[in-house]
Amino acid sequence: MALSSGGAGVIHRTAKDEAGDTEQASKNYDDARWMSWPNEGAFDALEEQYDSVHLQTKGSIPSWAAGSLFRTGPGHSMVENTSRGTHHVSHWFDGFAVTHRFDIVPPDSPGQGCSVVYSSRGQSDRYIAKVKEHGWRTGISFGQKSDPCVGIFAKFMSLFLPQEINNNVVVIPNMPGLNTKPTQQTGHRAEVDNVYISTDNSRLQKIDPETLEPLGPASQQELHPALKGPLSCAHVQRDPVTGDLFNFNVTMGRYASYRIFRVNAKSGTTDILATISEQELPAAYIHSFFLTENYVVLCVPSTHLGWNGAKILWERNILDAIKPFDKTTLCKWLVVDRRHGRGVVARFSTPAAFFFHSVNAFEQKSKDEAGEEITDICLDHVEYLNSDVMHILYYDILMGKNEAAILDMQKTGKQKASQPKLVRYKFTLPAHSQTKKGDYSLTAEQAFAIPSPHAGELPTINPSRAGQRHKYVYSICNRGIGFWMDAIVKTDVETREALIWSGPVGHTPGEPIFVPRPGGTDEDDGVILTVVLDSSSRTSYFLCLDAKTLQELGRAEADFTIPLALHGAHVTLGQKPML
């Protein structure tokens, strides 16, 4: 039953976008979004850490959604009382990591809804201590601006200081290979053997599933000695049947080497599925990749790193090490066999673009003109015209403090180039394996491109459809009434219709997480869980929506701010997750 209080959300049903025009935003999407900004509570943990806070529940969260929702993301954006005064974090992706846990507790009596218990923990205490000691960040960041008061010699010497990690992007519960010994848990909390936090490098942060306390770093090289490169992918992929985990590791040199690997969930052993090192495939910033029933598909987008990756050491951050965007630099794709040890079976290219997040990928069989069976690989992701979106995520812009930068974005059109599109490419596998190094002459067909706000960012689907054809994608979008994402959109990729939930002005939802109803047969039979920031009252609430209608079922309110996280994972009570 939907809530009827004044704080309940509003549902908007939109017609399909104008013929899927890939160059034009929807009619209700204009520059008005740049007139208002969320307050700093959206991006900074302004409150002290809380432990085991019982949130005030309204409505009814279904009992089958019981379990634990982990979320992680940037927290504090400044460090006070350092040896050089206050240290200000420049880029949102560099905010010091905080992990959140929402325990969804089943009711004592049938027919009642769940309650919600919240806890959180900072993950960068050691890093913050280093900043206080030295007065600046000594490690590699995503986009930290250089401190003009810090000399070249000091920056050079920081290369030799111990490098602390600030993993704040993805939560990986029950990761195989690094720790298979179960953690004892009791009471209402979901079963979790271990939890790791990742970002776009090969080092992981292990945390205690119960207390969220940081337990120290781990390295992909512990999985396999060949995985010694510094770069990797924040978003791992899992086989939805076996639980095997897939990722890639990048070493840098004259040519970059991409090693695509699998961690066996049952044995904990790691296999290298393919090693690709060729002049046409430089080191690049890559945030996610694709997994189908039989293949791992890696896209190297047009965000190449200078000096084949070595420029990161000079700039001390990834963003400044990325080459200026070049429209002639094609995206290059690799299709790797994950079943029969054949390595790379095909290469192809698509027009220059950038993307953070893959959505899903699947294979479909058909017949060619000669009646022979062919396999098409469909690859859904959230695409951008260029890499400008990474540059609008500086705190000064997010919080509306840098008027000059905001005016520059409006004048140069960067904000329009930073609007996402939900794009599907369809690639037909050649009849015989096409494995010639450096040959990316094959291309893929763009099946559709759905612009914002009919689709958005931080996408998710029903996890039971992973690797299979899907109909619905859930994401966060902007309807054009504020700077930041202000709504949750359910996109029908077959009809291109969209259903949008939005709260009152100033309510900012985070990534939607889909929890399927046990026994449900419809793809959208389940609930959407998210955390919403109310910037006017500086409070947050845990929100549960019906995944079919986006009507609100229940919420659990906090009387404090929970900063916007990046990604999360739901672990059902009594069941291990398949991400």
Side-chain angles (χ1 to χ4, degrees):
M1 181 175 67
L3 298 179
S4 58
S5 66
V10 177
I11 309 301
H12 311 265
R13 186 177 295 276
T14 73
K16 77 176 188 178
D17 60 283
E18 298 296 321
D21 188 345
T22 61
E23 300 298 329
Q24 178 179 344
S26 300
K27 292 181 179 179
N28 62 336
Y29 198 77
D30 56 35
D31 289 346
R33 68 193 293 268
W34 297 88
M35 298 301 179
S36 64
W37 285 263
N39 64 49
E40 59 185 322
F43 305 104
D44 196 358
L46 301 179
E47 305 285 345
E48 296 296 322
Q49 298 300 320
Y50 288 80
D51 181 40
S52 298
V53 178
H54 290 259
L55 306 184
Q56 183 179 2
T57 305
K58 296 180 179 179
S60 181
I61 301 171
S63 59
W64 47 262
S68 295
L69 175 66
F70 293 91
R71 299 185 74 90
T72 202
H76 287 290
S77 63
M78 67 177 67
V79 180
E80 297 179 325
N81 301 318
T82 79
S83 60
R84 294 175 177 266
T86 299
H87 169 80
H88 294 275
V89 178
S90 302
H91 199 280
W92 184 32
F93 290 175
D94 288 322
F96 293 105
V98 175
T99 302
H100 314 266
R101 179 168 182 159
F102 297 84
D103 289 309
I104 309 160
V105 184
D108 295 327
S109 303
Q112 295 181 343
C114 296
S115 58
V116 178
V117 179
Y118 170 75
S119 59
S120 65
R121 179 69 163 79
Q123 301 299 329
S124 300
D125 294 351
R126 287 171 57 91
Y127 203 155
I128 291 172
K130 288 288 184 184
V131 173
K132 285 190 174 183
E133 178 184 355
H134 296 283
W136 73 90
R137 299 176 84 109
T138 58
I140 302 293
S141 68
F142 182 85
Q144 182 68 24
K145 293 294 186 183
S146 298
D147 186 341
C149 297
V150 178
I152 294 294
F153 179 74
K155 291 180 183 178
F156 175 76
M157 291 306 297
S158 71
L159 285 169
F160 304 100
L161 294 172
Q163 301 296 296
E164 302 296 339
I165 61 175
N166 182 42
N167 288 16
N168 61 5
V169 180
V170 173
V171 184
I172 309 173
N174 295 334
M175 179 172 177
L178 291 175
N179 179 15
T180 57
K181 183 179 179 181
T183 300
Q184 296 298 319
Q185 303 207 14
T186 59
H188 55 259
R189 293 191 158 183
E191 179 187 358
V192 184
D193 290 351
N194 60 62
V195 175
Y196 287 85
I197 310 296
S198 68
T199 186
D200 296 307
N201 62 52
S202 60
R203 299 182 72 195
L204 300 162
Q205 168 84 325
K206 184 179 181 182
I207 68 172
D208 187 294
E210 281 280 323
T211 67
L212 305 181
E213 179 184 2
L215 299 178
S219 170
Q220 288 180 354
Q221 202 166 8
E222 296 175 39
L223 297 170
H224 193 287
L227 304 178
K228 57 186 177 181
L231 300 180
S232 188
C233 190
H235 290 273
V236 301
Q237 293 279 357
R238 285 190 198 252
D239 185 309
V241 176
T242 66
D244 291 351
L245 180 143
F246 296 80
N247 205 342
F248 64 85
N249 177 275
V250 185
T251 55
M252 296 175 290
R254 183 184 179 192
Y255 301 138
S257 292
Y258 289 83
R259 289 180 174 84
I260 297 171
F261 65 91
R262 172 186 56 215
V263 184
N264 188 297
K266 187 173 182 180
S267 67
T269 57
T270 298
D271 303 311
I272 307 297
L273 301 177
T275 299
I276 307 102
S277 181
E278 52 194 55
Q279 185 176 0
E280 296 81 6
L281 207 66
Y285 173 66
I286 308 172
H287 190 65
S288 62
F289 62 104
F290 304 82
L291 188 72
T292 73
E293 181 181 356
N294 294 294
Y295 304 100
V296 178
V297 183
L298 174 65
C299 174
V300 178
S302 308
T303 45
H304 296 176
L305 295 165
W307 309 342
N308 212 11
K311 196 175 182 183
I312 294 176
L313 297 176
W314 174 259
E315 299 289 354
R316 310 300 291 154
N317 74 73
I318 292 172
L319 191 49
D320 288 337
I322 296 174
K323 293 181 178 181
F325 193 86
D326 183 350
K327 292 182 179 180
T328 67
T329 301
L330 301 178
C331 297
K332 295 178 179 178
W333 301 70
L334 299 153
V335 182
V336 175
D337 174 32
R338 72 178 183 94
R339 298 288 186 186
H340 309 293
R342 295 181 297 159
V344 178
V345 298
R347 293 170 169 83
F348 64 97
S349 63
T350 56
F354 169 68
F355 73 102
F356 281 120
H357 298 115
S358 59
V359 178
N360 191 31
F362 58 92
E363 303 162 32
Q364 56 184 21
K365 304 290 185 181
S366 60
K367 301 285 186 180
D368 63 15
E369 295 179 354
E372 297 292 328
E373 184 178 79
I374 59 174
T375 299
D376 292 325
I377 298 179
C378 295
L379 303 142
D380 290 14
H381 58 291
V382 179
E383 187 179 271
Y384 297 89
L385 290 175
N386 56 38
S387 56
D388 285 347
V389 63
M390 290 188 280
H391 294 271
I392 72 170
L393 297 176
Y394 281 100
Y395 278 114
D396 279 357
I397 297 174
L398 289 174
M399 297 179 186
K401 295 178 179 180
N402 190 333
E403 185 175 349
I406 294 163
L407 290 174
D408 176 70
M409 287 189 302
Q410 292 175 318
K411 183 183 297 185
T412 59
K414 288 182 180 179
Q415 78 275 26
K416 291 186 178 180
S418 299
Q419 307 319 316
K421 296 178 293 183
L422 177 58
V423 173
R424 172 177 294 173
Y425 280 115
K426 185 172 71 173
F427 173 69
T428 302
L429 281 174
H432 303 286
S433 292
Q434 178 252 350
T435 58
K436 184 178 178 182
K437 287 183 65 174
D439 183 4
Y440 293 88
S441 58
L442 296 179
T443 59
E445 169 195 353
Q446 187 182 95
F448 61 70
I450 304 174
S452 177
H454 292 84
E457 256 296 1
L458 305 182
T460 190
I461 63 171
N462 185 328
S464 69
R465 294 303 195 274
Q468 303 177 34
R469 189 178 188 92
H470 64 278
K471 180 177 173 67
Y472 301 112
V473 178
Y474 299 85
S475 55
I476 58 173
C477 69
N478 186 292
R479 295 172 298 128
I481 61 174
F483 170 77
W484 193 245
M485 304 296 182
D486 59 14
I488 292 175
V489 56
K490 175 186 180 183
T491 306
D492 187 324
V493 299
E494 295 178 359
T495 67
R496 294 182 179 173
E497 292 180 329
L499 194 62
I500 295 176
W501 173 94
S502 63
V505 174
H507 286 226
T508 305
E511 176 193 46
I513 299 292
F514 190 102
V515 180
R517 183 177 67 84
T521 56
D522 293 340
E523 183 178 334
D524 58 354
D525 191 354
V527 294
I528 293 295
L529 304 180
T530 189
V531 181
V532 182
L533 173 85
D534 178 356
S535 61
S536 59
S537 66
R538 297 201 173 198
T539 60
S540 299
Y541 54 94
F542 174 94
L543 181 66
C544 178
L545 302 175
D546 185 315
K548 282 183 177 291
T549 64
L550 294 192
Q551 293 287 338
E552 182 174 333
L553 299 176
R555 65 171 64 185
E557 298 177 338
D559 60 2
F560 50 88
T561 296
I562 301 172
L564 292 176
L566 290 172
H567 296 287
H570 178 269
V571 184
T572 301
L573 193 64
Q575 179 182 351
K576 293 185 178 181
M578 292 290 186
L579 301 185

